[in-house]
Amino acid sequence: MKTSPKNLLIVGTGAMASLFAARLSAAGIQVTMLGTWSEGLRALKSQGVTLIEADNSQHNYPVQATDDPSDCVGSDYALVLVKSWQTRRAAQQLKKCLTRNGVALTLQNGVGNREILVEALSAPRVALGVTTLGANLLEPGCVVAAGEGEIYIGVHFGIEPLVEMLRNAGFKVLDAPDPDILLWGKLIINAAINPLTALLRVNNGELLQRPTARALMAGLAREAAAVTTAQGIHLPYDDPLTAVEEVAQRTANNRSSMLQDVLRGTPTEIDAICGAIVRAGDQYGVPTPLNHTIWQLVKALSPA
């Protein structure tokens, strides 16, 4: 087994990237964050990552931060935590950063990210994971932990040192023999919750308090579940609507990542969520009119 490295590349400077960077840095791992967001990079360079825990305790953790991939050359492992619309750029950067046998683990929302990374790096150098962790970015370089969760990682030869790093940092990491099941299971939940919170400008739990929003949430989940089943992918839960409502209740005070994007005026991941469901529905002959409408409405909110 390879010796566990003491450094890690994180591609991204947003909420999830900052959460992972803080906890890994706290565990004594040297973290380099590669991004393009100038305000975020300035904050990270000047003060590191500020993490506010659920008990309101606040700590700062040192990280390296750069917008230059040449500063990251020689990385054995990378966590990909950029938005789905940034994945193609990240893949090209990782071609320069990773060693010949280096591995990138994607924990991103939506579907299609793994395929983009594989196209640039080759399949043996890409691992797929899913996480149920939550994080809210208060300001550049300052993140609030918004709910504990797990990290599920598909079987991949040579990734154990990265798994060890994550566990040493306090993350709960579990094996996922078929991560596509979890990926599409999470996609259904994201499609039902995130776009509605972005359109209505509300926290997750508010969707359960509005009958019309709750009905829309159910419709989105049912369409997405039908598309998933048509592909021969088994759902990781018995009833998609129950799963969606349980997540909305458990994360009632959380602002979804899509709402955070809309409030900041930045592009959203709607193409990789509802858009992906519509495209798969077209391919497998499953109607998805509600996902199509919500997809277009959220796109209308985003910068051109």
Side-chain angles (χ1 to χ4, degrees), residues 8 10 15-31 33 48-57 59-63 79 81 131-136 141 143-151 164-172:
L8 178 67
I10 295 179
M16 291 298 290
S18 296
L19 174 67
F20 275 82
R23 292 192 172 168
L24 287 158
S25 177
I29 296 163
Q30 182 178 319
V31 176
M33 302 180 72
V49 180
T50 301
L51 175 61
I52 302 174
E53 298 283 9
D55 62 0
N56 289 323
S57 62
H59 305 279
N60 285 77
Y61 300 100
V63 295
L79 288 178
L81 291 166
T131 182
T132 58
L133 290 158
N136 291 327
V143 64
V144 178
E148 291 304 317
E150 293 79 37
I151 301 169
E164 183 181 340
M165 278 194 287
L166 292 168
R167 286 177 173 153
N168 288 340
F171 293 107
K172 184 177 180 181

Side-chain angles (χ1 to χ4, degrees), residues 8 103 147 159 162 180 217 249:
L8 178 67
V103 179
I159 204 174
L162 175 54
D180 281 315
M217 194 164 54
Q249 184 61 55

Side-chain angles (χ1 to χ4, degrees), residues 137-160:
L137 200 67
L138 283 189
E139 58 187 49
C142 180
V143 64
V144 178
E148 291 304 317
E150 293 79 37
I151 301 169
Y152 299 88
I153 300 178
V155 177
H156 188 285
F157 177 76
I159 204 174
E160 188 57 37

